[in-house]
């Protein structure tokens, strides 16, 4: 069977950086392969979830927080979600505008990382009762 490199083109394009100013990865951050997430009616790209996770871990490592909600902060997983990595966990806003959270209103959606800097998942208040969360798809 002959190998046709043209069939790999869509996959190679996914691996090609799309920005001349890539977001630096803080020391120790181990990004898991992510396909993005849909939280309610908002869809986030892998680039957006990675950027929010990187910012969360950089702040966590520095021992600093942003906003009145002091993000990132401990996420206790009271809902009992199964994540891709073990905790303990930190939650950090991911904004539907595409901007990186810098202290403004956090909105409904969060990335979850563990304290080793690995991405755990994405959660949302959208559709949940009270202050609870639902897992994004």
């Amino acid at each position: 069977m002959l190998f046709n490199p043209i069939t790999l083109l869509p996959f190679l394009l996914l691996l090609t950086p799309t920005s001349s100013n890539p977001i630096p990865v803080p020391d120790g951050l181990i990004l898991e392969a992510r396909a993005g997430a849909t939280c309610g009616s908002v869809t986030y790209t892998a680039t957006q979830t990675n950027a929010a996770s990187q910012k969360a871990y950089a702040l966590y490592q520095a021992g600093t927080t942003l906003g009145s909600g002091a993000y990132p902060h401990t996420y206790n997983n009271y809902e009992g979600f199964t994540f891709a990595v073990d905790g303990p966990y930190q939650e950090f806003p991911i904004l539907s505008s595409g901007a990186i959270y810098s202290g403004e209103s956090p909105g409904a959606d969060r990335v979850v990382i563990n304290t080793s800097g690995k991405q755990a998942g994405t959660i949302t208040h959208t559709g949940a009762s009270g202050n609870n969360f639902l897992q994004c798809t």
Side-chain angles (χ1 to χ4, degrees):
M1 173 182 250
L2 291 176
F3 187 90
N4 183 351
I6 298 300
T7 60
L8 288 179
L9 186 59
F11 300 106
L12 293 174
L13 290 174
L14 289 173
L15 298 174
T16 304
T18 59
S19 171
S20 60
N21 296 317
I23 297 169
V25 177
D27 290 340
L29 182 61
I30 303 167
L31 293 176
E32 303 296 321
R34 287 284 183 229
T38 299
C39 301
S41 62
V42 179
T43 298
Y44 297 100
T45 66
T47 299
Q48 290 170 310
T49 59
N50 288 341
S53 298
Q54 290 169 354
K55 179 71 172 187
Y57 190 60
L59 290 166
Y60 174 77
Q61 279 192 311
T64 59
T65 61
L66 295 173
S68 61
Y71 293 103
H73 62 237
T74 299
Y75 174 64
N76 292 303
N77 194 16
Y78 294 128
E79 295 84 1
F81 300 135
T82 300
F83 289 118
V85 297
D86 292 331
Y89 302 112
Q90 296 283 304
E91 67 175 272
F92 188 76
I94 183 168
L95 303 177
S96 59
S97 68
I100 302 295
Y101 179 75
S102 61
E104 64 275 23
S105 173
D109 305 330
R110 308 284 185 272
V111 292
V112 179
I113 63 168
N114 70 11
T115 55
S116 297
K118 294 181 180 177
Q119 291 178 320
T122 312
I123 58 177
T124 184
H125 286 300
T126 301
S129 61
N131 201 31
N132 293 326
F133 287 102
L134 295 173
Q135 273 187 298
C136 300
T137 56

